[in-house]
Amino acid sequence: MGDVKEFRLELASDVFGDKSYDLKLKLLDLIQEGYIHIVLNFKNVNIIDSIGLGILLKTQQNLKGVGGQLSIENASSSVRHLLEVTYLHRQINIL
């Protein structure tokens, strides 16, 4: 059995508009490269829009389908609250 591929990605800024699209492309590339555990470091993220939230959910669904997991670490209290009120914390591992 091979090693499980994990990738840690530190986001440089908030996730909205074009940055959501850029994140989507990066996550799709990582999944195509075989990474099934992806940890997003949100230490520089204070805002995430609905498109960004949808991308996180879709990424988690894709990873779950191959036995993987999306995780978020270092989320600010405002981002953590948003993940909770949208129930994404039930789908995505919040570290």
Side-chain angles (χ1 to χ4, degrees), residues 18-95:
D18 289 345
K19 294 180 188 219
S20 293
Y21 181 72
D22 293 342
L23 177 60
K24 176 183 177 179
L25 292 178
K26 178 64 176 173
L27 292 170
L28 287 172
D29 284 346
L30 291 171
I31 292 169
Q32 288 177 348
E33 291 173 20
Y35 291 98
I36 63 168
H37 293 289
I38 299 173
V39 179
L40 300 178
N41 187 334
F42 265 45
K43 77 176 187 176
N44 298 314
V45 177
N46 293 306
I47 299 169
I48 182 167
D49 67 8
S50 60
I51 295 170
L53 292 173
I55 290 166
L56 295 179
L57 180 58
K58 183 63 175 170
T59 300
Q60 170 55 22
Q61 290 169 342
N62 289 340
L63 291 170
K64 187 176 180 180
V66 295
Q69 175 71 41
L70 178 66
S71 299
I72 294 173
E73 63 183 1
N74 299 317
S76 68
S77 60
S78 60
V79 169
R80 185 178 292 270
H81 177 73
L82 184 58
L83 294 170
E84 289 171 359
V85 299
T86 57
Y87 296 102
L88 287 178
H89 70 294
R90 294 183 179 177
Q91 300 289 322
I92 298 168
N93 190 24
I94 311 299
L95 305 174

